[in-house]
Amino acid sequence: MTHTQKRSAIWTIAITSVALFMVSLDNLVVTTALPVIRHELNASISQLEWTVNAYTLTFAVLLLTGAALGDRFGRRRMFAIGLLLFTVASAAAALATTPDQLDVARALQGIGAAIVTPLTLTILSAAVPAERRGLALGIWGGIGGLAIAIGPLVGGAIVNGVSWHWIFWLNVPIGLVLAPLALARLEETKGPDKSLDLPGLGLASAGLLGIVWALVNGNSHGWTSTGIVAALVAGSILVAAFVLWETRTRAPMLPMQFFRSRTFSLTNVASLLMFFGMFGSIFLLAQFFQTVQHYSPLASGLRILPWTAMPIFIAPIAGAMSDRIGGQRLMTAGLALQSAGLIWIAAVTSATTPYSDLVAPFILSGAGMALFFAPVANVVLSSVRPEQEGKASGATNAIRELGGVFGVAVLASVFAHAGGYESAATFVHGTTTAVYIGGAVVALGAVAAAFIPGRHRAAEAAVPDAAPALDAAA
């Protein structure tokens, strides 16, 4: 490796890592700011849900398309465009004076993140020699995990020290420096898969938006009202049409033949249910410490840290163990621990619960999260051929983000039906009811993971060749 190549690789790792950290941080950075945003913007529970879901929904739906845009128009160019879009949307979120303005800006942030995130991986893979790619991808994964782990803490610190607006202002100078730096320092590359599945994108986006809108607004509009029923039915029909289209088009954004593999299908079911329970529960518990126990945003973020930061310590150990005892066993154990932790949290939570009673279930949940995260990528990629890894990885990331969207929507609806913000007692009752359900959903994920075939059987069940896929591996 020449000096020039080494310098180029260092610049690539630095630029893609900072970009990944910035967009990953916005997954959970807003959670500890939700109570403040609710008061300052007079936001309803459904508007608070969209503050989280507008980002994750657009991110999930457009994730596969973001990688395809880079393959077609140039990865460096689209990476810079995605960064600028994310930066402009962050400024719009910081300037928002109403909940609706904030939610629209968050949706635009999600679009930018959906372009940037997969391209950080493909750009990095292309720039680093094969013998050092494992180290580079390890850094890439560690940076993304760190951003998600400290998101609630960073959000709480900024809200406590300045204001919630600076959660978004923080992205602006970083993006304005990073976009031109990317154009100047990164090599331009294109991929083999230049097809854009625009009909599939339209069907998936409209269908999922209809279903999520109905779930978010069902309590306020009435579950049997014409608008809610129509949105659920129309959304379901459009999602079914998306599945039908993907089985017939020559260049699908989500090849349906992947789901012929029991390993691929069950792993993604487990991921969907895991993120459902985790995101939905964090959405409510992050507010509990401020709304009920009157802690500051920073103190609330610190109290959630034993849960969200555990993967930093346990994931490397779990990754080393997965080769010896099997990734599917670790995933099953992790989901079981996460489920037990959530149910434990729900059982001990009250308006006067001392924090010491929550530390152990938080650690248990975080340990379960780590055991699940460490092997999941390898288990998924073992079910497809090497040339299919890019789309398989993108599909898994999109499905787990959708799990978070549905988790926030459904558990917030449970919270609104069983409790509310009227008093500490109603908030606690709504939260514990929702977290019990979140724990039960994660337990179903553990059951799904238990039926994932072992490694040798998964390799035999690899799906047949599909259309040319992205040349990236996660």
Side-chain angles (χ1 to χ4, degrees), residues 97-307:
T97 56
T98 68
D100 291 340
Q101 290 175 6
L102 178 59
D103 294 344
V104 170
R106 289 282 288 167
L108 292 174
Q109 273 191 309
I111 296 172
I115 297 172
V116 169
T117 302
L119 292 180
T120 60
L121 187 58
T122 51
I123 289 170
L124 186 60
S125 295
V128 178
E131 66 272 13
R132 303 198 177 181
R133 197 165 293 154
L135 174 62
L137 294 180
I139 294 172
W140 181 89
I143 291 290
L146 177 65
I148 292 175
I150 68 172
L153 178 61
V154 171
I158 292 172
V159 174
N160 214 61
V162 195
S163 76
W164 68 265
H165 303 274
W166 278 92
I167 288 174
F168 305 110
W169 280 129
L170 186 67
N171 297 326
V172 175
I174 297 173
L176 290 177
V177 171
L178 213 55
L181 199 59
L183 291 172
R185 292 292 182 176
L186 299 180
E187 296 291 330
E188 183 62 284
T189 59
K190 294 185 178 181
D193 188 4
K194 296 179 171 59
S195 58
L196 292 176
D197 182 14
L198 295 180
L201 175 62
L203 289 169
S205 302
L208 290 169
L209 180 61
I211 293 171
V212 173
W213 183 89
L215 292 173
V216 168
N217 293 287
N219 279 312
S220 58
H221 290 229
W223 289 101
T224 58
S225 66
T226 303
I228 297 300
V229 173
L232 283 172
V233 171
S236 300
I237 290 172
L238 288 170
V239 169
F242 165 74
V243 173
L244 183 62
W245 169 260
E246 295 299 284
T247 62
R248 301 196 174 190
T249 184
R250 294 182 61 185
M253 62 185 285
L254 178 58
M256 288 296 144
Q257 64 264 36
F258 285 174
F259 293 96
R260 295 175 188 167
S261 163
R262 190 151 61 98
T263 298
F264 184 88
S265 297
L266 290 174
T267 302
N268 279 289
V269 168
S271 290
L272 181 83
L273 298 177
M274 162 71 173
F275 272 71
F276 182 107
M278 183 188 74
F279 262 74
S281 299
I282 287 178
F283 174 78
L284 295 169
L285 290 170
Q287 298 179 66
F288 164 78
F289 289 113
Q290 294 177 63
T291 304
V292 176
Q293 298 199 332
H294 307 295
Y295 285 108
S296 69
L298 175 58
S300 298
L302 283 169
R303 279 161 175 74
I304 297 171
L305 204 57
W307 183 356

Side-chain angles (χ1 to χ4, degrees), residues 349-375:
T349 297
S350 70
T352 57
T353 299
Y355 177 65
S356 57
D357 288 356
L358 293 169
V359 173
F362 276 178
I363 291 174
L364 189 68
S365 295
M369 211 161 57
L371 291 177
F372 177 82
F373 284 159

